[in-house]
Amino acid sequence: MSNISLNLTPQVYDYLLKNSLREPKVLQELRQQTSKMSMAQMQISPEQGQLMGLLLELIGAKNTLDIGVFTGYSALAAALALPANGQVVGCDINGEWTKIAKKYWEMAGMTHKIDLRLAPASQTLQALLDEGKANTFDFAFIDADKLNYPDYYEKSLLLLRQGGLIAIDNTLWDGKVADSSVTDENTQVIRKLNQALHHDDRVTLSLIPIGDGLTLLRKR
Ligand code: SAM
Ligand code: CA
């Protein structure tokens, strides 16, 4: 028994994918198209998409938030895991990247489940609160600009029902959060948020070392 997480060598990672990944063809194709883009590394990994799908099933999610859409992988993985009457509200500001997203949502027959709002995510989340949608969402995936993470977290927490789940991506930030010599603004914001979440008794939490670090928070 080891008390440290296994360092995923390429060989072990390949084994993990070969022996557990169930990625629908449309998501594979989306990943392939995105891999040709210069910002491809922004896309979540397929095993992380699968984990989020499992979490959505576990909590019986119907209404979800996808904060940071890019080419639409996380939103589509969520839509595919939701029941027929499920809804994903997607937040992004980039029309070019989300055009690719829309193409794949259409191919997957999931367009009707995804409500893309092209505006700064803080504004969209505030609009949802103003529409009286507090305590109505089951799940939020936070993966947009890092400087606004604290605001996205607070607003998501208000929008979530009790027992709902927030997943915050990149909380290990390529290890930079653990290196005190790194002091750029993004790193400092994530580091400070991680510290605050650790002591936030409104939620139950776990920081999972998958991808670039994924913090799961259940609203108490
Ligand atoms: N979740 C996506 C996926 O599965 O592929 C990856 C999201 S990517 C890391 C971050 C996205 O956040 C980009 O598409 C970017 O346009 C968007 N973004 C940046 N600033 C934003 C803001 N203020 N409001 C909403 N979206 C923003
Ligand atoms: Ca991310």
Side-chain angles (χ1 to χ4, degrees):
M1 256 294 259
S2 168
N3 65 354
I4 58 163
S5 294
L6 189 67
N7 190 7
L8 279 187
T9 60
Q11 190 183 17
V12 177
Y13 183 58
D14 189 52
Y15 176 88
L16 180 154
L17 294 181
K18 282 201 176 115
N19 289 277
S20 72
L21 190 66
R22 295 179 178 175
E23 189 181 36
K25 197 159 170 282
V26 64
L27 283 177
Q28 278 175 36
E29 288 169 0
L30 170 55
R31 205 149 54 82
Q32 212 165 17
Q33 171 158 5
T34 308
S35 72
K36 297 176 193 141
M37 297 168 55
S38 61
M39 303 299 276
Q41 82 293 343
M42 294 212 299
Q43 188 171 54
I44 59 164
S45 64
E47 72 278 11
Q48 183 174 332
Q50 187 167 316
L51 169 69
M52 296 202 294
L54 172 65
L55 294 171
L56 292 174
E57 274 190 37
L58 275 173
I59 63 169
K62 203 183 128 208
N63 295 310
T64 75
L65 294 165
D66 188 70
I67 305 168
V69 170
F70 187 41
T71 57
Y73 194 101
S74 53
L76 183 52
L80 289 166
L82 292 179
N85 62 351
Q87 270 284 313
V88 180
V89 175
C91 308
D92 210 291
I93 46 172
N94 189 300
E96 198 186 321
W97 293 334
T98 52
K99 195 171 158 206
I100 300 171
K102 286 194 264 184
K103 175 178 145 197
Y104 284 86
W105 298 344
E106 178 75 40
M107 276 165 63
M110 288 291 129
T111 302
H112 64 290
K113 282 193 194 172
I114 308 173
D115 171 9
L116 175 65
R117 310 231 181 152
L118 272 187
S122 289
Q123 266 180 35
T124 299
L125 299 175
Q126 187 58 50
L128 292 169
L129 288 166
D130 295 344
E131 287 164 26
K133 299 260 173 68
N135 303 305
T136 65
F137 283 85
D138 305 296
F139 178 79
F141 180 48
I142 299 179
D143 191 23
D145 56 305
K146 309 311 166 201
L147 295 186
N148 283 311
Y149 264 28
D151 185 55
Y152 299 153
Y153 171 63
E154 288 302 329
K155 290 195 165 83
S156 297
L157 202 54
L158 291 171
L159 287 163
L160 247 62
R161 64 162 164 92
Q162 192 261 324
L165 191 69
I166 299 179
I168 307 183
D169 203 31
N170 305 100
T171 47
L172 291 178
W173 201 229
D174 203 20
K176 287 184 277 193
V177 283
D179 179 349
S180 58
S181 69
V182 183
T183 57
D184 65 89
E185 218 181 342
N186 281 326
T187 304
Q188 291 204 55
V189 166
I190 299 177
R191 193 182 280 142
K192 206 167 149 210
L193 179 63
N194 284 339
Q195 282 163 1
L197 296 175
H198 189 190
H199 302 291
D200 189 338
D201 58 14
R202 297 172 295 174
V203 289
T204 307
L205 94 160
S206 178
L207 198 174
I208 304 182
I210 187 172
D212 195 26
L214 182 70
T215 301
L216 300 179
L217 307 121
R218 179 185 184 272
K219 182 173 172 178
R220 288 178 167 157

